[in-house]
């Protein structure tokens, strides 16, 4: 078979034209006759008892159809890890922006006006905003009675304001400290980052007269939404149809329910379709964002630069509800050692409730925070040992056969090659040092998520192929890549394959689009489904061709006998024959659960993600110049190398890397959701600074391919690592340029200037 | 609420509509005319997703009141392809993977058209500068810049393929 013609080639996107022509339909584009518009009332206090809610005045407003408060909605608590989230805040509000009531009205403006007319009597409670304070004695408890909450994730460690904790240890840390020649300690802190997708959350729901719920939503995980809706609405899952619209960016921020349940409840109540679309300010005060984090690191090394031991404590500010917090804390713990051999270690990572919105998954969750801390700390150690940062890393780099933090045996470790390659393209060893210019290096080892993917491949009467899956393409390009994989397996041109995604009524189950899992795991499912289809086709053709099925092959849309190629039948004829004469419509199907990996069970506690079906690797070199008078940092060059395992589509791979680097650059230099107490002071895209095209530095990319045994053709995800790299690489380059180490993001001019001034004062 | 008459041309079609004084051009395009290719991302002029061409100029339709568009010629993304043939910029965006989620794409393409109409041979930095009122959170901009750079004018000034 003409293998490898399709894999690795730069195919254009299967959804390109409809997106370029403006006819792709996103969440905000859905409209229905008679549709009502919904709005919620948000708590103006970060922590308050709700004494009384009076909707009388609001209800009288003409055009208002219904108003729901906590007492009118199902008394269930939902949550992906901890079931701690009420449908609407009833007894108390846990963050400023939390919905207390929802209104449905004939017009959006009427719904807005009605929400403002709802009168609420509050009794303010003492809030807590800092995760360190939230752990202290006497800190206000954000969830009284949290012990009683059910957990969707078994084995979570929870107490007080802690909603999840991962503890990992290895070797004998005490012995490690004794063996160390030098000990380094640092504290890092990272800001809250807004996902910044341009498409607002928008949902439309309707009930039909049979009591069946249909819901259109811009989501990364249709089945997760269906499951949560089932729980909240008290409906069996087969009475709920979730239809994923085109997604205008997700980055982890559209994996969970946001307003789907509000629309569903209002639609059930009014008997009309109900739409809700969030404003940017609601997105930035109610929906999730990247966790702010405080990280303490302490590392013992030998004089020659060998790492002996590390102690790490990570505090993830999770906000008023747990969301994916316990998982994010686990991923931070798993990443904090970096790709370095560390004989002894102790890691403690906590997800802590505070009075802010719920922080949850965002591209590279946990890893982005941990990566900044680990790689800045590594750089400091190298400098103080007078070692080149590259040599210091190479000295400690893991390789095949080593174990990860959780004790998983590492295989197909791609870091060595990526590091060599980035050193080469950046000319690291010959780098030129000039005044106020500096170079920084950063490595990343992250992990991808496996779980379940299933695929359905239908052969139509005319021999054309249709791939039906639940995994949403939120822009990263999975539908194109999966079409390529199916084309490769069926030896058919990729542009002849149709892909339908994202309808729970038609697609078999998939866990969702996150954690670099779609190409990886759904890729395997598509291969399996294609093989299943071929088995059926060969058995049908065997009878027609009078050849044994094992002898048959599928080449150029013909099924033929390998030894006797003139015995052949076209896919079209076979399809026709199957439909009308034998076997019935052929369908290939598969369901793939990513293999579980063994890990050091007894050394890992409370970790929902103790092992991964594949690690991911990348390295970056950055050159910056710093203006000592203004504190302005200019990123002159970025060199970035990423291990793709096996590239399925180079354009898609590059796109993920380029986009991820810019998101990481924003995180490093500008982006921060700023809080004043519990209030977000910049909930708009003018005061919250994301990079424009003008902010793009020169970026050079290289891709290495260390095939991973579990991925399709050896592929692994490439979407997350690019975001992990820039923050530490730039901070390290700033240090190289002007001698100050900044342990807090973003690296704003104020912060750089302040550090320079403090440094100068210290020298005096 | 008092209604006002509004006459404007969108994608070559003349419309006579009744609007409220507070409605924006974006509301007219998306809600009255159902041309949802013009996106909405911030309602505050920050993101560029709602960009359309008004008498050839790239403007953010959420910042323009409907009544300010009286008598104007508007081009939205739906009006760009001619007789089923994509505009060279649309082709270039598709071919160069300058599209990921696609939500910024209509605004990016129309802003790029305004640029090329003004300056048929922009440098990479010209493109970066001109597109810097439009956010793209997915692509990191490089492939968008590649796509726009790949569109070169044919003789006579019309943009054609390279
Ligand atoms: S919606 Fe008009 S600029 Fe964002
Ligand atoms: S492609 Fe998603 S915002 Fe540009």
């Amino acid at each position: 078979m003409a293998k490898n013609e399709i894999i690795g080639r730069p195919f254009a996107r299967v959804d390109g034209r409809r997106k370029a022509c403006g006819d792709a339909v996103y969440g905000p584009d859905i409209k229905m006759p008679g549709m009502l518009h919904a709005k919620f009332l948000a708590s103006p206090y970060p922590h308050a008892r709700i004494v009384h809610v009076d909707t009388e005045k609001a209800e009288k407003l003409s055009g208002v159809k219904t108003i729901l408060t906590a007492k009118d909605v199902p008394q269930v608590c939902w949550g992906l890890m901890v079931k701690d989230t009420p449908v609407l805040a009833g007894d108390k509000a846990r963050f400023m922006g939390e919905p207390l009531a929802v209104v449905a009205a004939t017009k959006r403006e009427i719904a807005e006006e009605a929400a403002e007319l709802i009168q609420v009597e509050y009794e303010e409670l003492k809030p807590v905003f800092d995760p360190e304070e939230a752990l202290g004695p006497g800190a206000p408890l954000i969830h009284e009675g949290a012990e009683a909450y059910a957990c969707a994730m078994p084995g979570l460690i929870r107490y007080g304001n802690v909603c999840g904790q991962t503890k990992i240890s290895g070797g004998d840390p005490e012995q490690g400290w004794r063996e160390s020649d030098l000990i380094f300690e640092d504290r890092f802190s990272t800001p809250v980052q807004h996902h910044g997708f341009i498409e607002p959350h928008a949902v439309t729901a309707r009930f039909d007269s049979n009591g069946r719920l249909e819901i259109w939503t811009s989501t990364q995980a249709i089945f997760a939404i269906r499951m949560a809706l089932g729980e909240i609405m008290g409906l069996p899952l087969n009475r709920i149809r979730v239809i994923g619209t085109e997604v205008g960016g997700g980055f982890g921020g559209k994996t969970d329910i946001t307003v789907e349940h509000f629309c569903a409840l209002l639609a059930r109540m009014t008997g009309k379709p109900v739409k809700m679309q969030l404003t940017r300010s609601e997105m930035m005060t109610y929906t999730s964002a990247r966790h702010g984090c405080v990280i303490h690191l302490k590392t013992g090394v030998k004089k020659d630069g060998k790492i002996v031991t590390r102690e790490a404590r990570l505090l993830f500010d999770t906000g008023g509800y747990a969301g994916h917090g316990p998982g994010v804390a686990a991923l931070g713990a798993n990443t904090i050692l970096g790709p370095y051999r560390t004989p002894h270690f102790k890691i403690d990572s906590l997800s802590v409730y505070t009075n802010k919105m719920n922080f949850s998954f965002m591209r590279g969750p946990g890893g982005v925070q941990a990566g900044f801390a680990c790689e800045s700390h590594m750089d400091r150690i190298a400098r103080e040992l007078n070692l080149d940062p590259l040599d210091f890393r190479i000295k400690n780099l893991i390789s095949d056969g080593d174990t990860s933090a959780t004790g998983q045996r590492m295989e197909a470790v791609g870091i060595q090659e990526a590091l060599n390659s980035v050193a080469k393209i950046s000319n690291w060893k010959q780098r030129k040092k000039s005044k106020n210019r500096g170079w920084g290096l950063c490595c990343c080892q992250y992990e991808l998520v496996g779980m379940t993917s299933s695929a359905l491949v239908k052969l139509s009467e005319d021999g054309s192929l249709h791939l039906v899956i639940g995994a949403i393409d939120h822009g990263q390009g999975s539908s194109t890549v999966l079409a390529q994989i199916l084309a490769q397996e069926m030896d058919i041109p990729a542009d002849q394959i149709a892909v339908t995604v994202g309808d729970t009524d038609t697609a078999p189950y998939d866990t969702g689009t996150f954690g670099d899992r779609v190409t990886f795991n759904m890729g395997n499912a598509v291969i399996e489904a294609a093989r299943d289809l071929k088995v059926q086709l060969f058995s049908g053709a065997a009878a027609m061709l009078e050849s044994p099925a094992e002898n048959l092959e599928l080449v150029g849309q013909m099924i033929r006998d390998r030894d006797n190629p003139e015995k052949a039948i076209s896919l079209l004829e076979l399809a026709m024959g199957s439909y009308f004469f034998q076997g019935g419509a052929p369908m290939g199907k598969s369901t793939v659960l990513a293999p579980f990996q063994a890990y050091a069970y007894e050394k890992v506690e409370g970790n929902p993600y103790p092992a991964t079906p594949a690690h991911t690797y990348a390295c970056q070199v950055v050159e910056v110049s710093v203006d000592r008078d203004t504190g302005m940092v200019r990123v002159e060059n970025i060199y970035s190398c990423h291990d793709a395992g096996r590239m399925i589509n180079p354009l898609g791979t590059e796109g993920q890397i380029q986009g991820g680097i810019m998101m990481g650059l924003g995180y490093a230099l500008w982006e921060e959701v700023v809080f004043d107490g519990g209030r977000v002071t910049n909930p708009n895209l003018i005061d919250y600074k994301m990079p424009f095209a003008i902010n793009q530095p020169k970026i050079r990319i290289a891709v290495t391919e260390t095939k991973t045994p579990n991925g399709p053709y050896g592929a692994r995800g490439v979407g997350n690592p690019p975001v992990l790299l820039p923050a530490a690489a730039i901070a390290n380059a700033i240090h190289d340029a002007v001698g100050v180490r900044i342990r807090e993001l973003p690296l704003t001019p104020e912060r750089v200037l302040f550090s320079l001034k403090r440094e100068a004062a210290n020298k005096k | 609420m008092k209604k006002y008459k509004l006459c404007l041309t969108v994608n070559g079609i003349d419309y006579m509509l009744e609007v409220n004084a507070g409605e924006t051009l974006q509301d007219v395009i998306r809600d009255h005319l159902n041309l949802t290719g013009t996106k909405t991302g911030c309602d505050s002029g920050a993101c560029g997703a709602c960009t359309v061409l008004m008498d050839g100029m790239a403007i953010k339709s959420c910042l323009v009141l409907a009544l300010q568009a009286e008598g104007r010629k508007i081009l939205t993304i739906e009006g760009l392809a001619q007789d089923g043939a994509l505009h060279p910029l649309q082709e270039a965006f598709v071919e160069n993977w300058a599209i990921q989620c696609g939500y910024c794409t209509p605004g990016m393409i129309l802003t790029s058209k305004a640029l090329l109409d003004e300056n048929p041979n922009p440098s990479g930095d010209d493109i970066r500068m001109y597109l810097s009122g439009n956010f793209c959170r997915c692509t990191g901009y490089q492939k968008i810049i590649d796509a726009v750079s790949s569109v070169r004018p044919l003789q006579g000034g019309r943009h054609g393929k390279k």
Side-chain angles (χ1 to χ4, degrees):
Chain A
M1 200 187 279
K3 282 280 173 204
N4 296 335
E5 266 183 35
I6 294 172
I7 300 305
R9 279 194 32 210
F11 274 91
R13 297 182 65 100
V14 296
D15 52 3
R17 288 174 73 96
R18 70 166 180 265
K19 287 177 171 175
C21 292
D23 53 308
V25 178
Y26 297 82
D29 304 335
I30 302 283
K31 245 184 226 181
M32 270 171 212
M35 173 174 95
L36 303 175
H37 297 266
K39 181 84 185 171
F40 62 75
L41 169 70
S43 165
Y45 297 105
H47 201 189
R49 197 152 300 292
I50 300 162
V51 182
H52 184 67
V53 185
D54 182 356
T55 57
E56 209 188 306
K57 233 168 136 186
E59 270 159 22
K60 290 209 179 102
L61 193 70
S62 139
V64 171
K65 294 296 168 190
T66 193
I67 300 179
L68 302 176
T69 63
K71 65 177 189 339
D72 311 310
V73 297
Q75 304 299 306
V76 292
C77 279
W78 59 277
L80 256 121
M81 294 209 158
V82 182
K83 299 202 179 292
D84 61 356
T85 316
V87 177
L88 287 165
D91 55 342
K92 70 172 186 172
R94 295 181 173 86
F95 64 95
M96 201 179 269
E98 181 171 9
L100 310 180
V102 280
V103 184
T106 50
K107 289 208 164 83
R108 200 164 153 170
E109 309 77 67
I110 298 176
E112 272 163 31
E113 199 184 332
E116 277 165 29
L117 289 173
I118 299 171
Q119 284 161 344
V120 187
E121 196 184 316
Y122 300 93
E123 184 188 303
E124 278 188 75
L125 298 169
K126 189 173 167 229
V128 60
F129 303 120
D130 180 289
E132 276 172 322
E133 273 169 33
L135 293 176
L141 210 52
I142 293 172
H143 289 261
E144 298 92 350
E147 313 74 42
Y149 292 148
C151 275
M153 202 57 90
L156 290 185
I157 302 173
R158 302 190 295 123
Y159 53 90
N161 283 325
V162 174
C163 57
Q165 181 172 14
T166 286
K167 298 192 223 181
I168 314 175
S169 61
D172 177 353
E174 287 313 313
Q175 182 196 332
W177 298 122
R178 283 194 301 273
E179 284 173 7
S180 301
D181 295 328
L182 289 150
I183 292 169
F184 297 90
E185 258 189 283
D186 282 307
R187 176 186 188 274
F188 298 93
S189 80
T190 67
V192 170
Q193 186 181 25
H194 173 50
H195 293 90
F197 35 75
I198 316 300
E199 179 204 33
H201 300 264
V203 177
T204 309
R206 79 165 177 214
F207 269 89
D208 72 13
S209 304
N210 288 332
R212 201 158 186 276
L213 168 64
E214 282 185 310
I215 191 152
W216 287 258
T217 175
S218 171
T219 180
Q220 297 171 236
I222 49 171
F223 288 97
I225 299 291
R226 188 177 70 159
M227 178 101 132
L229 281 174
E231 213 173 311
I232 294 168
M233 306 296 294
L235 285 172
L237 296 186
N238 63 2
R239 299 255 298 273
I240 303 172
R241 179 182 185 192
V242 179
I243 303 156
T245 63
E246 206 82 67
V247 179
F251 314 119
K254 292 177 181 166
T255 48
D256 299 320
I257 288 239
T258 50
V259 298
E260 286 83 351
H261 51 333
F262 299 152
C263 294
L265 290 163
L266 290 167
R268 179 152 75 185
M269 197 67 167
T270 58
K272 296 236 185 290
V274 175
K275 177 174 177 177
M276 190 168 203
Q277 181 177 323
L278 296 187
T279 62
R280 183 61 55 173
S281 136
E282 284 167 338
M283 290 166 75
M284 294 184 73
T285 52
Y286 164 53
T287 72
S288 81
R290 185 187 302 290
H291 284 77
C293 188
V294 176
I295 300 178
H296 294 266
L297 283 182
K298 188 173 156 194
T299 301
V301 294
K302 286 281 193 200
K303 274 203 218 77
D304 67 356
K306 277 261 185 226
I307 296 173
V308 182
T309 183
R310 174 167 295 173
E311 195 176 295
R313 182 171 158 87
L314 304 89
L315 298 183
F316 286 88
D317 177 355
T318 298
Y321 296 96
H324 288 283
V328 174
L331 290 166
N334 297 355
T335 320
I336 198 66
L337 299 182
Y340 310 109
R341 205 170 285 136
T342 312
H344 312 286
F345 57 88
K346 190 168 159 239
I347 303 167
D348 191 12
S349 184
L350 295 94
S351 174
V352 186
Y353 287 129
T354 60
N355 290 113
K356 298 183 191 156
M357 70 266 206
N358 168 222
F359 305 107
S360 204
F361 277 166
M362 178 171 172
R363 201 169 181 183
V368 167
Q369 296 91 335
F372 168 64
C374 169
E375 290 296 318
S376 298
H377 186 64
M378 287 294 285
D379 196 71
R380 176 189 167 205
I381 300 173
R383 301 276 163 175
E384 294 192 22
L385 292 174
N386 264 323
L387 291 171
D388 183 279
L390 176 68
D391 297 338
F392 173 55
R393 284 175 171 83
I394 289 176
K395 203 177 207 72
N396 290 290
L397 224 48
I398 56 152
S399 56
D400 284 14
D402 280 325
T403 48
S404 73
T406 60
Q408 180 183 343
R409 218 182 120 82
M410 306 293 287
E411 53 185 350
V413 174
I415 192 68
Q416 181 82 54
E417 214 192 318
L419 195 52
N420 290 340
S421 151
V422 85
K424 200 154 125 215
I425 62 171
S426 64
N427 218 356
W428 175 264
K429 285 285 169 185
Q430 278 79 45
R431 68 193 184 277
K432 288 199 187 54
K433 208 32 209 113
S434 55
K435 197 160 178 263
N436 298 334
R437 273 176 99 107
W439 294 74
L441 176 70
C442 175
C443 293
C444 151
Q445 172 188 306
Y446 195 55
E447 44 195 61
L448 54 76
V449 177
M451 304 194 191
T452 298
S453 303
S454 27
L456 192 60
V457 180
K458 301 198 279 185
L459 180 72
S460 302
E461 303 91 299
D462 64 353
S464 65
L465 286 173
H466 194 167
L467 175 62
V468 182
I469 49 172
I472 297 275
D473 185 342
H474 64 340
Q476 84 281 32
S478 55
S479 291
T480 308
V481 160
L482 296 168
Q484 281 179 254
I485 292 177
L486 182 57
Q488 175 76 33
E489 291 301 311
M490 300 298 294
D491 197 34
I492 204 173
D495 55 10
Q496 285 181 24
I497 286 167
V499 187
T500 299
V501 303
D503 180 343
T504 55
D505 262 17
T506 54
Y509 181 83
D510 172 71
T511 311
T513 299
F514 52 83
D516 273 344
R517 65 178 294 280
V518 181
T519 297
F520 181 84
N521 212 55
M522 187 60 89
N524 283 333
V526 170
I527 293 176
E528 289 294 315
R531 292 184 182 163
D532 180 47
L533 178 61
K534 280 194 282 190
V535 167
Q536 298 170 41
L537 294 178
F538 291 167
S539 100
M544 295 186 193
L545 299 176
E546 296 176 341
S547 290
E550 321 76 78
N551 255 20
L552 298 182
E553 59 179 7
L554 175 59
V555 181
Q557 299 173 63
M558 297 292 287
I559 290 171
R560 66 180 190 202
D561 189 322
R562 214 174 271 120
D563 304 328
N564 207 346
E566 61 282 7
K567 279 189 167 184
I569 180 170
S570 74
L571 212 47
L572 166 70
E573 278 176 273
L574 184 67
M576 283 287 193
S578 310
Y579 268 82
F580 301 112
F581 303 113
Q582 51 156 252
M587 263 185 285
K589 61 179 174 23
S590 71
T591 185
V592 170
L593 180 63
F596 289 102
Q597 307 287 326
Y599 65 100
Y601 185 73
E602 65 303 338
K603 302 272 193 184
V604 181
E605 279 178 81
N607 187 336
Y609 303 122
T612 170
H615 285 90
T616 51
Y617 302 97
C619 309
Q620 191 166 87
V621 167
V622 165
E623 187 188 10
V624 304
S625 58
V626 181
D627 183 329
R628 281 183 175 271
D629 297 327
T630 61
M632 281 286 281
V633 176
R634 208 182 121 93
V635 176
E636 305 286 347
N637 284 295
I638 296 183
Y639 305 89
S640 214
C641 182
H642 299 254
D643 195 286
R646 174 85 165 90
M647 249 194 295
I648 311 279
N649 186 323
L651 289 173
T653 305
E654 284 165 22
Q656 281 297 289
I657 296 170
Q658 291 163 339
I661 290 175
M662 283 303 275
M663 186 180 273
L665 186 77
Y667 183 68
L669 293 177
W670 306 291
E671 292 182 38
E672 176 171 19
V673 176
V674 181
F675 285 87
D676 174 13
R679 179 189 304 277
V680 175
T681 61
N682 58 346
N684 60 70
L685 294 184
I686 293 171
D687 299 313
Y688 182 87
K689 301 259 177 248
M690 301 199 297
F692 278 121
I694 197 80
N695 304 112
Q696 185 206 35
K698 279 196 217 93
I699 302 175
R700 229 185 113 190
I701 286 169
V703 176
T704 53
E705 294 186 310
T706 310
K707 292 195 172 77
T708 165
N710 295 328
Y713 317 105
R716 59 175 117 223
V718 291
N720 286 325
V723 194
L724 269 75
L725 297 165
I730 294 171
N732 295 344
I734 293 174
H735 182 271
D736 189 43
V738 292
V740 295
R741 178 148 320 271
I742 306 175
R743 295 173 176 81
E744 206 174 335
L745 293 176
L747 304 160
T748 55
E750 293 84 345
R751 217 160 247 153
V752 175
L753 209 53
F754 179 76
S755 303
L756 284 165
K757 291 223 163 101
R758 194 177 44 196
E759 179 82 1
N762 285 350
K763 275 198 186 133
K764 268 184 204 150
Chain B
M1 210 178 284
K2 186 162 186 274
K3 296 275 184 192
Y4 298 83
K5 272 215 165 57
L6 169 69
C7 297
L8 78 177
T9 310
V10 180
N11 301 335
I13 302 173
D14 296 333
Y15 292 94
M16 229 166 80
L17 306 164
E18 294 213 315
V19 301
N20 299 332
E23 283 186 288
T24 64
L25 179 58
Q26 184 185 40
D27 297 331
V28 167
I29 294 170
R30 283 182 58 84
D31 299 340
H32 291 249
L33 305 181
N34 285 318
L35 294 170
T36 53
T38 300
K39 308 320 281 182
T40 167
C42 69
D43 300 326
S44 61
C47 74
C50 65
T51 303
V52 298
L53 300 189
M54 183 154 89
D55 292 338
M57 245 182 47
I59 52 124
K60 293 173 175 174
S61 61
C62 71
L63 289 184
V64 174
L65 287 173
L67 293 170
Q68 290 176 297
E70 172 69 34
R72 307 293 201 119
K73 286 195 170 51
I74 309 293
L75 180 71
T76 73
I77 192 72
E78 289 91 342
L80 199 54
Q82 293 295 326
D83 307 320
L86 299 198
H87 183 276
L89 271 166
Q90 289 172 309
E91 289 280 4
F93 269 64
V94 173
E95 271 165 33
N96 285 280
W97 201 282
I99 300 169
Q100 286 190 28
C101 82
Y103 203 76
C104 69
T105 307
M108 284 287 184
I109 289 180
L110 289 169
T111 309
S112 305
K113 180 173 187 312
L115 165 66
L116 294 185
D117 289 345
E118 235 172 71
N119 173 5
N121 275 307
S123 68
D125 279 343
D126 292 338
I127 300 172
R128 276 187 192 90
M129 184 67 101
Y130 209 92
L131 292 183
S132 283
N134 295 61
F135 281 125
C136 175
R137 192 59 154 171
C138 301
T139 64
Y141 303 104
Q142 187 54 49
K143 295 205 182 303
I144 294 178
I145 295 156
D146 294 345
V148 180
S149 311
S150 77
V151 178
R152 284 290 166 241
L154 292 175
Q155 255 149 18
R158 262 288 287 156
H159 286 103
K161 281 190 148 182
K162 54 180 158 174

